Amino acid sequence: MKISFILPENDDKPIGGFKIVYQYANEMTKRGHEVYISFLNTLYPEKKSRVRQWLGLKKRSLKYRLQQKEDPSSKITWFDIDERIKIKFHVIDGRQLPNADVIIATAAQTSFFVDKLSSRKGRKFYFIQNYETWAYSEDILQKSFKLPLRKIVIAKWLLKKIEKVTSDTIQIVPNFIDGIYMKETDNNRKNVISILNHDLPEKNTLFGIEVIKKVKERVPDLTVKMFGVAKRPPEGIPDYIEYYSRPSKQDLFKEIYAKSKVYILPSLLEGWGLTGTEAMASGAALVASDIPGVKEYAVNNRNSLLAKPNDLSEFTEKVLDLMLNESKRKAIVEIAKSDVKKYSLTESTTLFLSYLE
């Protein structure tokens, strides 16, 4: 089968939704399918004419040449993509795309683009990974859900959200965990907390830092491992926070998750929350916001502790509960490691392909 994925503009930065698509593309290629990945030239293609998009591309290319730098939107360095996958950057219209059996929009901005394409580009699908209110109004999102595209979502909460605006059949293919995070680890850990640094307000990093400060008052020997895309940590963070910029998945596992007692996920909105499942699989106890995306896999007082979003007192107490109660932490960790084993790339790819076919 010839499968064509359409992604928003590339900036060569680790993004969870892109990572999922790349992993599917690799696995589908491994199974003998012909896979294409194409990136739109602009983040919001419906707002600009093709001429303006083309001029914007030329202006950006000239800027990088003058700086003697390579345009980051024309390369992918943070993920190993199978060399058999055909990649196209800076797509402006359908003439730059291959004819295929299926074509898959992967975000709201790509859904409108795919909807307008010729049927020769493939049967049209919309792979919905989040409720993208950070980029679009609810009205525009709902319009995207009403498009005549076959819909695949990653979570039950997204299915329920979309069912409110369309009678279309919606399929669920759950996210999965990279096998590296499933390795055995030592459960006797020092007082270490880990957390993601992200500039999106919905990720709520600054609130997470406030929780950490409160925990430090009760756990004086606490150290923190923060990681993210940015080269520098947020301004003014305490000196007991170690910062890892763009860690490899090996370092993310060995140096961060596998050494943490607790992983904090303070987000206000998640389609799924990949780092939560990665941390759980690696033996770090999860304390997360009680929000729909996270609850696809996190069950309060079973495999994790969930707290009311932005409730500093409750969040802090739940982190302390696991930091200071070894038997409880270890019990939750063992159940978590068992629970998340079901989220495999192999099974999710098989399910995804069954819907495409």
Side-chain angles (χ1 to χ4, degrees):
M1 183 162 48
K2 190 179 286 189
I3 302 167
S4 178
F5 286 99
I6 307 298
L7 282 160
E9 186 177 49
N10 169 54
D11 197 25
D12 197 31
K13 292 180 180 179
I15 299 173
F18 282 48
K19 177 181 176 181
I20 290 293
V21 170
Y22 296 162
Q23 288 174 290
Y24 274 131
N26 280 356
E27 181 66 16
M28 289 172 180
T29 300
K30 180 181 173 183
R31 298 189 189 193
H33 298 282
E34 187 176 346
V35 180
Y36 298 78
I37 296 176
S38 302
F39 298 91
L40 296 187
N41 177 47
T42 176
L43 186 61
Y44 304 107
E46 76 280 8
K47 292 184 179 178
K48 292 185 179 181
S49 68
R50 290 175 183 173
V51 172
R52 287 184 65 195
Q53 290 180 54
W54 184 82
L55 289 173
L57 170 61
K58 294 302 179 184
K59 181 179 179 181
R60 184 174 60 207
S61 298
L62 176 61
K63 181 186 76 172
Y64 281 104
R65 283 202 300 273
L66 292 173
Q67 295 174 340
Q68 296 183 325
K69 294 180 180 179
E70 187 177 356
D71 184 353
S73 64
S74 300
K75 59 182 180 179
I76 302 167
T77 61
W78 63 274
F79 192 93
D80 293 327
I81 295 179
D82 192 304
E83 61 183 11
R84 292 170 290 181
I85 295 172
K86 299 171 182 64
I87 299 175
K88 180 73 175 178
F89 299 103
H90 310 306
V91 168
I92 293 174
D93 60 43
R95 291 173 295 181
Q96 298 168 278
L97 300 175
N99 293 338
D101 296 305
V102 298
I103 187 164
I104 307 167
T106 60
Q109 57 263 44
T110 64
S111 68
F112 298 103
F113 177 82
V114 167
D115 178 55
K116 296 173 184 176
L117 294 174
S118 161
S119 60
R120 294 191 301 274
K121 303 306 173 183
R123 299 188 304 278
K124 299 174 182 180
F125 287 80
Y126 184 6
F127 181 40
I128 303 169
Q129 303 186 68
N130 208 337
Y131 196 64
E132 302 168 74
T133 50
W134 64 86
Y136 283 95
S137 68
E138 292 210 29
D139 179 59
I140 291 178
L141 289 175
Q142 290 177 8
K143 285 180 181 177
S144 79
F145 299 151
K146 292 177 182 178
L147 293 172
L149 312 176
R150 296 171 174 89
K151 297 167 184 69
I152 298 174
V153 299
I154 64 171
K156 294 187 290 292
W157 80 273
L158 282 169
L159 181 146
K160 292 176 181 176
K161 199 91 172 172
I162 298 165
E163 280 182 332
K164 294 178 180 179
V165 298
T166 178
S167 59
D168 293 352
T169 298
I170 304 166
Q171 309 289 359
I172 299 179
V173 180
N175 275 350
F176 48 83
I177 305 170
D178 191 307
I180 191 172
Y181 304 112
M182 297 289 192
K183 294 181 179 179
E184 286 301 314
T185 58
D186 184 3
N187 204 10
N188 295 309
R189 306 184 181 200
K190 295 180 181 179
N191 287 329
V192 178
I193 288 175
S194 53
I195 184 173
L196 171 70
N197 173 43
H198 202 292
D199 58 5
L200 270 181
E202 289 81 3
K203 299 295 185 180
N204 218 14
T205 300
L206 295 180
F207 171 77
I209 293 172
E210 292 305 308
V211 172
I212 287 167
K213 290 177 180 178
K214 289 291 185 182
V215 173
K216 179 71 170 178
E217 294 174 4
R218 296 274 300 278
V219 186
D221 64 341
L222 176 71
T223 58
V224 180
K225 293 176 180 287
M226 175 181 281
F227 62 96
V229 172
K231 292 183 179 179
R232 293 190 179 94
E235 288 187 17
I237 68 166
D239 57 10
Y240 53 83
I241 296 181
E242 300 177 58
Y243 190 76
Y244 297 77
S245 176
R246 292 196 182 195
S248 66
K249 63 182 179 182
Q250 289 82 6
D251 285 342
L252 185 57
F253 169 67
K254 291 182 180 179
E255 300 301 322
I256 301 174
Y257 293 145
K259 291 186 178 179
S260 300
K261 275 190 175 181
V262 173
Y263 177 71
I264 299 178
L265 202 167
S267 300
L268 302 175
L269 174 66
E270 290 283 358
W272 180 273
L274 281 176
T275 58
T277 46
E278 290 171 353
M280 292 166 78
S282 306
L286 176 67
V287 178
S289 295
D290 190 351
I291 57 175
V294 172
K295 290 198 291 186
E296 292 294 312
Y297 55 84
V299 181
N300 190 36
N301 289 317
R302 172 183 165 81
N303 59 20
S304 60
L305 294 185
L306 302 179
K308 183 179 179 181
N310 274 338
D311 189 321
L312 183 58
S313 176
E314 183 180 1
F315 229 104
T316 302
E317 287 306 313
K318 295 209 169 187
V319 174
L320 285 168
D321 191 16
L322 296 180
M323 294 294 291
L324 302 176
N325 188 336
E326 279 292 280
S327 60
K328 182 172 183 176
R329 180 184 67 83
K330 289 181 178 181
I332 279 180
V333 163
E334 289 308 309
I335 294 172
K337 289 166 70 175
S338 176
D339 284 353
V340 298
K341 283 181 180 178
K342 65 183 177 182
Y343 299 116
S344 79
L345 172 60
T346 301
E347 292 188 13
S348 288
T349 303
T350 297
L351 189 59
F352 204 122
L353 286 170
S354 74
Y355 296 144
L356 297 183
E357 292 168 348

